[in-house]
Amino acid sequence: MLPQAFTERMQKMLQGEYDAFIQTFEESRYQALRLNALKKNAEGDSAAQVLTSGEGFAHLSPVSWAENGYYYEAGDQPGKHAYHEAGVYYIQEPSAMLPAELLQVLPGDHVLDLCAAPGGKSTQIAAKLQGKGLLISNEIHPARAKILSENVERMGIRNAIVTNESPAALEKVFPGYFDKIMVDAPCSGEGMFRKNEAASEEWSPENVSLCAARQDEILDCAAEMLRPGGRMVYSTCTFAEEEDEGSIARFLERHSDFELIEQHRLWPHKVKGEGHFAAVLHKKGELDEYKPACVNGFAKLLTEKELGEYLTFRKETLKKTAYACTQSTYIRFGDNLYLVPEEMPNLKGLKVLRPGLHLGECKKNRFEPSHALALSMSPAEVNYVWNLDSKDMTVLSYLNGQTFPAEGEKGWYLICVDGFSIGWGKLAGGIMKNHYPKGLRVNGI
């Protein structure tokens, strides 16, 4: 049951199109995924290049407005395939793929995803960065920030920092810092009524106004963090003009240094997707080549000597072409070692869940590689690979945490499924010991 105040407002907005719009609530919604351009096999081809047919895990057809976006059919279950655990794709509502495309991210950009959980737009942005530049993915709610961090890990992203902060706290550290900013603002969620019945039960006109006021505050913070010449995309999954065109109009009244480039509404009766709004804003001026530092300056980084047992692990496990050591790419939090983006900002005073790619833990006399490292690797970057067929039950056994018989040189192996990394194993005595994280193990896929 849709709220009466909502249907009355929509009837006034849509007039002759209202019947077609309301009919969509009786129809099945469209489902989609994005193939991961960062996920590479031994030949250097990405999942986005080799799995476009979806053969073996789904029946795919392209989402017209999203690079590497594909619809899948109702009978498909991509969330229960080993490819999902390997980060081969990200399941995402098709309309939600538009805003990151509009941001026009380029490799080398400094990008902020300000309201990033659960991570769909962040992982889409990261694919466009191609491992170059910097992505800060932020989420104010701790539980949602944890989910965001897990998705950044699963998709094998190397150059992302995940923070759990308010926009106001970030504004103090990053004034005039970012080339591109995504503001996928918290909203009344009207576009998700078909997907989530609870959203309609929680809706009220008062909540729409509360969301609009909060969006104004978030946009003001974002504006201060964007460089002159920078590009910002504001998006919501609601139909309310107060939160959409109204938010943009109010923003432009407050910020004469911005101009509106374009704005889009996706209607469920017109496209194969849910309701969505997106607006592209430009901060007047020209981007120069100089990349500013944050208020705290740059992070203090480790020297070669401070990398400890990681160097031994790297020599034994990784090929020389992978993670060539420079003195400006590593930091350490306690016993945990991270590979960080170039020009790593000093994050002092901020709540940080993931300060780059977690390489692993420096334990006494040894280095334990992380699951995040495995997911970020391609088979071409390691000395030893054990490939499993996605149709073989051994994959399920591995994801359940079980060992399996194997013969070869002893040491760390990158376990792969159909050529794409999914975790670590350590071979000794004819047995591949399982290093798939206990918290991720599944009983069935």
Side-chain angles (χ1 to χ4, degrees):
M1 293 292 292
L2 297 172
Q4 183 177 350
F6 168 75
T7 56
E8 289 175 352
R9 193 197 72 207
M10 296 308 299
Q11 200 161 10
K12 290 179 181 177
M13 283 181 65
L14 291 171
Q15 298 183 9
E17 295 183 24
Y18 176 75
D19 288 343
F21 167 77
I22 212 69
Q23 178 62 34
T24 63
F25 290 91
E26 304 297 324
E27 300 168 354
S28 298
R29 60 188 179 90
Y30 292 92
Q31 296 177 304
L33 55 80
R34 273 185 303 100
L35 293 174
N36 189 358
L38 298 177
K39 197 75 181 184
K40 303 290 180 66
N41 62 16
E43 289 73 39
D45 296 324
S46 73
Q49 292 172 301
V50 301
L51 296 173
T52 52
S53 69
E55 185 177 350
F57 74 94
H59 304 82
L60 303 184
S61 57
V63 176
S64 62
W65 54 80
E67 182 182 24
N68 302 323
Y70 293 87
Y71 298 100
Y72 61 87
E73 296 180 3
D76 297 326
Q77 293 184 308
K80 294 186 176 182
H81 196 282
Y83 286 171
H84 182 268
E85 311 310 312
V88 167
Y89 46 74
Y90 188 100
I91 296 173
Q92 187 177 16
E93 198 283 310
S95 294
M97 298 180 188
L98 177 64
E101 296 292 333
L102 296 174
L103 197 56
Q104 297 185 359
V105 170
L106 299 172
D109 280 344
H110 285 181
V111 186
L112 171 65
D113 189 356
L114 188 53
C115 314
K121 294 174 178 65
S122 277
T123 56
Q124 193 174 357
I125 289 166
K128 295 182 181 300
L129 286 173
Q130 300 175 21
K132 301 173 183 177
L134 168 69
L135 169 62
I136 294 184
S137 297
N138 180 71
E139 173 57 44
I140 191 171
H141 298 289
R144 287 170 55 80
K146 183 180 178 183
I147 294 170
L148 167 64
S149 185
E150 290 169 352
N151 280 323
V152 166
E153 174 178 292
R154 184 171 62 85
M155 299 301 279
I157 299 167
R158 300 182 179 185
N159 59 326
I161 295 165
V162 179
T163 57
N164 171 212
E165 280 295 351
S166 68
L170 291 178
E171 179 189 349
K172 294 176 183 176
V173 178
F174 295 105
Y177 181 85
F178 295 101
D179 305 306
K180 311 278 171 64
I181 296 180
M182 170 65 66
V183 181
D184 184 40
C187 68
S188 58
E190 296 171 0
M192 294 293 107
F193 283 180
R194 182 164 63 163
K195 178 181 178 181
N196 182 5
E197 289 185 10
S200 64
E201 294 172 2
E202 296 168 0
W203 182 91
S204 70
E206 293 76 18
N207 189 44
V208 169
S209 296
L210 286 172
C211 288
R214 182 170 54 197
Q215 290 154 4
D216 290 349
E217 295 173 2
I218 293 171
L219 278 170
D220 287 347
C221 291
E224 293 302 313
M225 291 187 275
L226 192 66
R227 298 174 63 192
R231 188 178 183 95
M232 181 162 70
V233 170
Y234 171 79
S235 68
T236 74
C237 58
T238 193
F239 303 114
E241 288 187 74
E242 188 177 355
E243 300 179 66
D244 294 342
E245 293 91 346
S247 283
I248 295 302
R250 295 190 303 275
F251 175 81
L252 293 172
E253 288 177 2
R254 298 191 305 271
H255 297 273
S256 60
D257 54 337
F258 276 78
E259 57 186 344
L260 176 64
I261 303 300
E262 56 185 296
Q263 58 186 17
H264 303 262
R265 270 192 180 272
L266 298 184
W267 294 99
H269 62 290
K270 291 185 175 181
V271 302
K272 294 180 179 180
E274 304 301 313
H276 225 83
F277 173 83
V280 181
L281 295 159
H282 173 255
K283 194 169 188 176
K284 296 173 184 177
E286 297 294 330
L287 281 175
D288 53 41
E289 294 182 3
Y290 169 73
K291 296 281 189 185
C294 76
V295 165
N296 295 334
F298 296 104
K300 183 180 180 182
L301 303 166
L302 299 177
T303 64
E304 179 93 4
K305 292 181 180 179
E306 293 175 298
L307 297 179
E309 294 300 322
Y310 170 69
L311 295 178
T312 302
F313 164 83
R314 192 179 67 187
K315 183 178 180 180
E316 294 174 348
T317 309
L318 308 184
K319 292 186 176 177
K320 290 182 180 179
T321 53
Y323 300 111
C325 182
T326 67
Q327 294 184 1
S328 61
T329 53
Y330 299 91
I331 60 174
R332 188 166 171 168
F333 280 70
D335 292 332
N336 292 290
L337 185 67
Y338 289 83
L339 183 77
V340 299
E342 293 181 10
E343 302 175 332
M344 174 70 176
N346 185 335
L347 304 173
K348 182 180 179 181
L350 297 178
K351 288 176 280 188
V352 180
L353 276 69
R354 184 173 295 270
L357 175 64
H358 185 209
L359 296 176
E361 191 174 353
C362 302
K363 298 190 175 182
K364 188 176 181 180
N365 300 322
R366 65 187 177 92
F367 181 80
E368 187 91 10
S370 72
H371 187 57
L373 177 60
L375 291 174
S376 75
M377 304 295 288
S378 77
E381 294 177 303
V382 298
N383 292 326
Y384 305 123
V385 175
W386 197 275
N387 190 52
L388 301 172
D389 190 312
S390 62
K391 298 180 179 64
D392 193 318
M393 289 299 293
T394 307
V395 172
L396 179 57
S397 297
Y398 175 75
L399 293 174
N400 285 338
Q402 299 175 25
T403 61
F404 58 86
E407 295 294 336
E409 296 289 331
K410 69 177 183 178
W412 288 101
Y413 279 67
L414 187 67
I415 309 298
C416 297
V417 54
D418 295 345
F420 297 106
S421 63
I422 198 169
W424 291 112
K426 196 171 188 182
L427 183 58
I431 296 295
M432 186 70 74
K433 295 180 180 179
N434 195 306
H435 284 265
Y436 197 76
K438 291 181 180 179
L440 297 178
R441 292 176 185 175
V442 295
N443 294 320
I445 56 173

